[in-house]
Amino acid sequence: GMEGLSAGTVAAMTAAAAAIAAVIKVVSDLGKLTLEVAAQVDEYLSQSAITGVPTAMLQAWDYAAPLIDVDAETIKGAMVKITKAMGDSSDKFDELGVSITNADGSLRSAEDVFYDVIDSLNEMAPGAERDAAAMELMGKSAQELNPLINAGSDALRKYGEEAMATGYILDEEQIQKLGEVDDAYQKLQLQKKHQLSKKH
């Protein structure tokens, strides 16, 4: 069927086929990327529910972590420890001069308390005493936070603003939509697994 076509037509058809193949690959790659981002977003939603930290802040910490040489999971883990310590009304907050309550007696946000703790530790001389205070409030991995403590909370805030300005941070609507994508994908995987188990 190709014999009656000119060389130019055949070349054009070949180019078109290659272009279509390229588009299919791009669509496939975009699909994979979307699922990867959706999975990460679902993790943000879970972490936000656990820590009470907004998803935007969790994304900002992921952006800032490599720039201040602290693992993002260490920051998030420290936040969980701070939240628990607030519930236990640890005396260490008073020793550091950090208030955990508002004027009306209600608990302050864990995020604000976390930043105040970082800045209070920043004012202490590096060494065993500072490490001990940090470990009491933020767990055994507190020493890994020393680069952040040395930089102060302003570093996290600055990189958070930078992440927002560069479009790194997804807004709440995007987060919810991608969370729904991940949920739908997980349901599809469960259905496939169920169908395979029935066949066997």
Side-chain angles (χ1 to χ4, degrees), residues 59-163:
Q59 293 174 79
W61 289 350
D62 274 350
Y63 180 87
L67 300 173
I68 54 177
D69 300 321
V70 176
D71 186 75
E73 294 307 312
T74 301
I75 299 175
K76 294 166 191 172
M79 172 61 74
V80 172
K81 295 288 186 182
I82 285 285
T83 304
K84 183 179 184 303
M86 288 173 65
D88 295 339
S89 300
S90 172
D91 292 336
K92 185 57 67 175
F93 289 113
D94 291 335
E95 292 176 25
L96 291 174
V98 175
S99 175
I100 64 172
T101 57
N102 295 304
D104 62 2
S106 61
L107 282 177
R108 297 174 63 207
S109 77
E111 178 191 332
D112 289 340
V113 171
F114 175 65
Y115 286 152
D116 284 353
V117 167
I118 292 296
D119 288 338
S120 182
L121 291 169
N122 173 270
E123 293 172 3
M124 297 175 67
E129 186 178 352
R130 187 176 83 170
D131 289 344
M135 289 175 67
E136 185 169 334
L137 289 176
M138 296 183 287
K140 294 179 180 178
S141 61
Q143 283 183 303
E144 297 172 23
L145 290 168
N146 276 332
L148 170 57
I149 293 171
N150 292 336
S153 69
D154 282 347
L156 272 183
R157 291 190 174 92
K158 182 187 78 171
Y159 288 127
E161 291 169 2
E162 190 175 292

